[in-house]
Amino acid sequence: MTTAVEFLNVSRHFGPASAPVRAVDGVDLSIAEGSFFAMLGPSGSGKTTCLRLISGFEKPTGGTIRIFGEDVSNTPPHLRNVNTVFQDYALFPHMNVRDNVAYGLMVKGIGRAQRHAKAEEMLALVHLDSHGDRKPGQLSGGQRQRVALARALVNEPRVLLLDEPLGALDLKLREAMQDELKALQKRLGLTFVFVTHDQHEALSMADSLAVFNEGKIAQIGSPQDIYDRPATRFVADFVGSSNVLPPALTKVLGGPAEWASLRPEATRLAATGPASGPVTALRYLGSGTRVVIDLQGTEVAALVPAGQPVPAEGATTAIAFDKDALHLMGST
Amino acid sequence: MTASAILPERGLADRLTAVFWRRPRLLLALLLTPPLLWLGVVYLGSLAALLLQSFYSIDEFSGVVKEEFTLKTYGELFRPSNFDILVRTVTMAALVTLACAVLAFPIAYFAARYAKGHWKAAFYLGVMLPLWSSYLVKVYAWKLILAKEGIIGWAAEQTHTSWIISGLLSIPGLEGSSLSTSPIGTFMVFVYIWLPYMILPMQAALERVPNSMLEASADLGATRAQTFRTVVLPLALPGVIAGSIFTFSLTLGDYIIPQIIGNSANFIGMAVYQLQGTAGNIPLAAAFAVVPIGIMLVYLALARRMGAFDAL
Amino acid sequence: MKTLKVMATSTLALLTGVAPVLAQVTELGTPEGQVNIVAWPGYIERGETDKAYDWVTKFEAASGCKVNVKTANTSDEMVALMNEGGFDLVTASGDASLRLVAGDRVQPINTDLIPSWGKVDARLKDAPWFTVDGVHYGVPYQWGPNVLMYNTEVFKDGPPTSWSVVFEEQTLPDGQSNKGRVQAYDGPIHIADAAQYLMAHKPELGITSPYELNEEQYAAALDLLRAQRELVSRYWHDAYIQMDDFKNEGVVASGSWPFQVGMLQLESLPIASTIPEEGATGWADTTMMHVDAANPTCAYLWMEHTLSSNLQSDLATWFGSNPVVPEACTDGSGMSTAESCKANGMEDFDKIRFWTTPTSDCSQGAGACVPYYRWVSDYIGVIGGR
């Protein structure tokens, strides 16, 4: 399989050399062609900077970036065969939708008739065939998002970069667009690089994802890897609603003295067990109830499926789980 | 004892607020009446009076204003000497506007896109500072700067570049014994005086262009020049138009600068001043005064057709 | 209300075709305590600009009339203020005085009530700009010529003898052309200066007064001014700008006022003035009394005061003008001396043609002359290169 994007020890520092802000700090990364790759992390973790390093809006302070094997470290954005869907869509308000989509072709000098035909084709792809004459201001958020997508695809880029493209949409629309994006990516067979801070979005859409923390990649792998086997406490904490157990508690619960993650849905309530404590919070989720228990000062959540008895707040309870549900993450 | 669901009124302010809450239009009406009266009666009223006067004419023999509707006065505007004034003023206003736009754009662009913190403060200070001193003081200062024995002439002499100035001053139509008595001087002073009025709206417009818009353009393959032409300029156009309305109309109406700097050839403002004064030719003065209004209306219509306000 | 009343009476007068009978004051009562005057800036000084120049304070103490001055910058402003009413007196120039008389805004003066009337320059007593059908509508205040100001370093062999230095292209005594080095007044009244030049140089035109020009004479004057346009790089209308141009722009000759000459000489610049052989135009101001003056006694007392030798003498040096009371030059009552009066043009009265507003009805016949409003538009054309 060909590598679409490759980072070799890439850094991007801001501010003075004496006290730099290390937005991206020695990142190694490889994105396979045709994959849907997500960059996940809290704000300020360096994921957006990484995306901008691919598009060329940031220049690396150190390291090498390759796109399809070619070093692009010194290539300006307009000469890179990658396109971006911006977080705020960045549609040109003074042009109608068709001209927005055809913009990439216009600057290449392609004739009006030809570029308009191609633009209509792209608009059909995102189900906006009849909206070519409207101005961006007359569209809904979801429609604007599709226009931005069509505009970015018109140049037939080898890599499509998406910077939190669904962030501004409401929940229902977001879920619909997630499915649509995924389907589009499959159909086109394009490499999508997707930045998000929403772990559900990353997990549900990506073929593989990188979790960013403080300018470094904390873990890279498939959604299952990340969710079931978080490499660090940060990943466990950020990605799932996993319980993170300190070494002492892990030991009490029958494991080695290491940090461990334990998924709530793998955690059951039990009358007795090695550790027990009071129920501090209850949250009804429809498909079940999330029960939070204070075990030796650590809050541990268990998911009680619908139909099973739920303890009252303040009642003392213990927990139980299968041995292999406990994922160990080392002693530090 | 439980508190009442309705709090007691504390005084007039509470009662008034309640009245305005019940009748939201009342507050609006109260707020808008004085300015609308001012605009409608004083401003538009005087404009209407001006328009009316311009349809009167002056009696050839007695010099008395005849209060009968006629287009004769407007016809007089096309007499060569009067038409010269219109052409001269409009040409000057157009050139001044163009020069202001060209000079202001880089400054406004820098201020809007790059200047931060102290630099931004320095920018505002630099642009606004000239506006704080008296207009007349600045014009008189320029008279000295441009004078034959002023600093520009002196510097040219010291650097043996006087030939440049003499060359400029020998161009037909721009002749003068020095920059201060040539239309070039008038032009320079106009540009200097009105430049801030171009920079500020331009800068405001450029500031509203999100950075992502420029990045999107580059991302889609546009060169800097293409981005400038197809994205920055159209988006900044409302600001450029706003600025040009200032520089254009201010130049159209000014009568002080061409009186002090230049070759004394009349501009519209000067003609209005002279005609309404001792000459008592109020109709012709009014007709002259209507011209800039007409020009601005045409200008705005053209700007609108060109899409200057699409990005608003 | 007052305006309404004035308008009503004027309309009535127009309708009936009868001019209202204008009563003149026959005797003075007790001073009313104040007098309100519309005046040119610098004309009525109470020592606030310069302590040495004060001709109000003593009058107020002696008469008990407080002097309230409203300054006006143009003749039009003066006429407008007088139309509004509320003033007793105005220092009107020749272009405003007849308008005020024609509009019945001012009343005849009883010269018997002004003891100093007899001291007034005989040349001014019946001047046409305030005397209509033998009736005096005011008291002369000051007068002055429009002189030819020149640079003494350029004209080192003596003053220029003709206005031709500003009207016709020629080589000046310093060997350089006058092109771009002379100025002219930026007001239509400058057409009169051209007409006066033509009176001397083109007698065949038959010009008798530079303010009364028929079409042919007028066209000749405009032609002369068009030639002058080639020589003048900037016209002057503001005294201080003209002074600056003589200092910084290399201007060496121009029509001007004694005021600028005096100011530049104060700075020890090589500047002098002359009245060339063709003569000069000039201005003469008159104190006129409002038809509805509320303070007639104080107004008469002030008019009498304006003719005092001391006031005339000081005002003449202050303003660069000439007293209307000849003895003010020689009696040592103020700052004027025979020399200063001579410098201001006191002896050149006969060479001066005083400014009056050109009207179409003139001594050449009704409708024979070009009226002032055409002077304005045509002079605009001349300056614009037409």
Side-chain angles (χ1 to χ4, degrees), chain B residues 59-259:
Chain B
D59 185 88
E60 293 273 349
F61 296 103
S62 64
V64 173
V65 175
K66 280 195 294 192
E67 299 191 348
E68 285 164 32
F69 177 87
T70 173
L71 288 173
K72 181 174 146 260
T73 307
Y74 279 101
E76 268 188 55
L77 287 181
F78 292 94
R79 281 223 321 249
S81 64
N82 290 339
F83 199 67
D84 277 355
I85 295 172
L86 300 183
V87 171
R88 185 182 300 126
T89 311
V90 172
T91 311
M92 179 62 82
L95 289 175
V96 166
T97 301
L98 208 65
C100 279
V102 170
L103 281 177
F105 202 91
I107 302 172
Y109 193 81
F110 168 79
R113 305 225 74 91
Y114 296 101
K116 298 266 175 332
H118 287 306
W119 279 105
K120 197 115 181 169
F123 159 78
Y124 276 115
L125 206 65
V127 173
M128 306 287 279
L129 202 60
L131 295 180
W132 296 346
S133 62
S134 153
Y135 164 95
L136 273 179
V137 168
K138 286 182 285 182
V139 177
Y140 278 112
W142 270 96
K143 182 176 186 295
L144 288 178
I145 293 171
L146 297 172
K148 196 176 218 163
E149 285 144 38
I151 187 160
I152 291 185
W154 175 83
E157 214 159 276
Q158 295 298 309
T159 53
H160 304 287
T161 47
S162 301
W163 57 272
I164 298 178
I165 295 177
S166 343
L168 283 174
L169 293 178
S170 62
I171 298 170
L174 304 181
E175 295 105 332
S177 57
S178 73
L179 285 174
S180 149
T181 61
S182 156
I184 301 173
T186 323
F187 168 79
M188 287 169 72
V189 177
F190 268 134
V191 171
Y192 167 81
I193 297 278
W194 304 141
L195 191 59
Y197 297 92
M198 181 63 100
I199 294 177
L200 291 175
M202 243 188 197
Q203 185 248 358
L206 283 169
E207 211 143 73
R208 284 202 300 268
V209 179
N211 212 30
S212 65
M213 216 75 89
L214 308 188
E215 290 185 344
S217 175
D219 187 73
L220 291 164
T223 61
R224 285 282 165 106
Q226 284 174 320
T227 302
F228 178 80
R229 211 178 55 241
T230 57
V231 179
V232 179
L233 206 55
L235 289 178
L237 205 56
V240 180
I241 297 290
S244 68
I245 289 168
F246 283 128
T247 56
F248 197 75
S249 60
L250 286 171
T251 311
L252 277 186
D254 191 85
Y255 66 100
I256 307 273
I257 291 172
Q259 229 167 54

Side-chain angles (χ1 to χ4, degrees), chain A residues 155-184:
Chain A
N155 279 347
E156 298 176 357
R158 298 200 65 180
V159 180
L160 185 73
L161 309 174
L162 302 105
D163 185 6
E164 306 234 11
L166 308 179
L169 305 181
D170 59 53
L171 182 65
K172 202 166 168 202
L173 198 54
R174 189 152 72 217
E175 285 173 349
M177 280 307 295
Q178 283 174 1
D179 295 342
E180 211 171 303
L181 267 184
K182 185 71 188 161
L184 191 67

